[in-house]
Amino acid sequence: MATAATDRTAAPEPAPHVLVVPYPAQGHMIPLLDLATLLASRGGVRLTVVATPATAPLLAAHGDAVGELVLPFPSHPAFPAGVESAKGLSPALFGALIVAYAGLRAPLGDWARERSGGPDRVAAILSDFFCGWTQPLAAELGVSRIAFSPSAVYGTAVLHSLFRRMPQREDGDNESPIGFPDLPGAPAYPWRQLTLLYRTYRDGDEVSEGVRRNFLWNLEASSFVSNTFRRLEERYLAVPLADLGFRRVRAIGPLAPDAADAASGRGGETAVSAADLCAWLDGFADDDGSVVYISFGSMAVLQPPHAAALAAALERTGVPFVLAVGTAAPLPEGFEERVVAAAATAGRRRGKGRVVRGWAPQVAALRHRAVGWFVTHCGWNFVLEASAAGVPMLALPMTADQFVNTRLLVEEAGAAVPVSWGGIQAAPEAEEVARVLEAAAGGQCAHVAARAKELAEEAAATVSDGGASRQEQDELVRELRELGSEPKE
């Protein structure tokens, strides 16, 4: 008679458990949540996403695909109490948010150690590159950590190069060129176009040193995963980069939803429904590509001089437009009222516009046939959404990685036209903005529009079966499964 032990079929090993740590900013959280959902859909891995009470609602759009771990936001003397994300945050506090968020390291370590001996043990950590503190956490737990970049490989390398090499400007000159000798083409940027995180670095300051340590930790990660695609950044994916610690970089993007999911609320509740906005755009059905869509994102605050120049140019040119701005954006007095009046009385579509205050259904708008151009700060998520939709960009970079992204789009990809390089400190003249708008609307930039359509084809191909990004996604799932097959020595 067989014993119970030999009679019983062994239970299958549970799928490896991956801890996912996003950074609390919409432009960072949304693509990493998109990636987590994609990985979960492939099967063979379980994922738990870390959030705080203020950011947990963003997980709702991803259903039951991933688990969630909601922890209290850690307090820090350099960061205001009651604030849990970058939304509406002063740029001067971005560094403090990075350092304050690192306070999750201890409670996450306790949580993971409680599960170390069971089926829910953490097999790997996948975390945003603003969460470099998860690198020593992974070392403590004896697991590998993969760094996620919501930015271009080029922009990610520039950012890490700054904190790795610590270059300085000459004599306090904002136009002093800062070179990046280890990147292809050895590019250089004027000091004023570098990220504020670096320009405000102060030797010995707790926050500054914490920010620098964050990025240096990333160079110890097992690999990078970047929301980009090979045809857009071939030059920076061809060989390992010193500025990324010579680590492997997987290009797994674009992580933009397809047409079927364009109306989803992955970024939170919108101020206007996708159906409503698309119905308004349907009014331009006999004039495809005539509408200019304008947005500067959730973190790039539109400054009053920039808003004034843009509003004046829109009224001067009469180009049909959708302007998506924050609830507190400083539009010129009377502008919104004139837009409403023009929409009500215009016998023709010329001069017809719409202002959306709050979060807009941007993916759906960009994929509408009436939208022909996108005026944007060139934040990377916006770049990918426009590229996937085949919409050329009119670039107004403000800060952070936006100058790097714009250079990539204008000089290498050929899918954007620069409006101004002045950034947040120097708004363009209304005449300058009007000139670019008229050139785009008048067909003078047809070669840029054609290149944007090619990018859309390349973006669709790369995430399709057999495409380069699809292969990298599959390789990432296999890597995570292998990391979970046995504890790391």
Side-chain angles (χ1 to χ4, degrees), residues 294 302 304-319 321 323 330-336 338-339 350 428-435 437-438:
I294 307 158
L302 195 60
H306 297 76
L310 183 58
L314 289 170
E315 293 191 283
R316 183 173 305 178
T317 61
V319 172
F321 67 90
L323 173 59
L331 295 178
E333 185 176 355
F335 174 73
E336 290 180 79
R338 291 193 297 274
V339 169
R350 179 176 171 80
E429 297 293 330
E431 292 80 4
E432 182 182 6
V433 181
R435 177 186 58 77
L437 283 174
E438 288 174 335

Side-chain angles (χ1 to χ4, degrees), residues 46-142:
R46 293 173 296 144
L47 301 104
T48 296
V49 179
V50 177
T52 66
T55 58
L58 279 178
L59 275 63
H62 297 266
D64 300 324
V66 298
E68 65 177 52
L69 170 61
V70 180
L71 297 172
F73 190 91
S75 63
H76 191 281
F79 197 69
V83 179
E84 295 188 16
S85 75
K87 188 174 183 180
L89 190 68
S90 165
L93 287 171
F94 287 173
L97 175 57
I98 291 174
V99 173
Y101 201 59
L104 288 182
R105 175 176 166 182
L108 270 180
D110 292 342
W111 180 88
R113 278 185 284 271
E114 289 173 0
R115 289 154 179 77
S116 60
D120 287 333
R121 74 173 183 87
V122 173
I125 295 176
L126 172 63
S127 60
D128 190 280
F129 68 12
F130 275 12
C131 300
W133 50 269
T134 55
Q135 184 61 40
L137 172 62
E140 292 170 10
L141 299 175

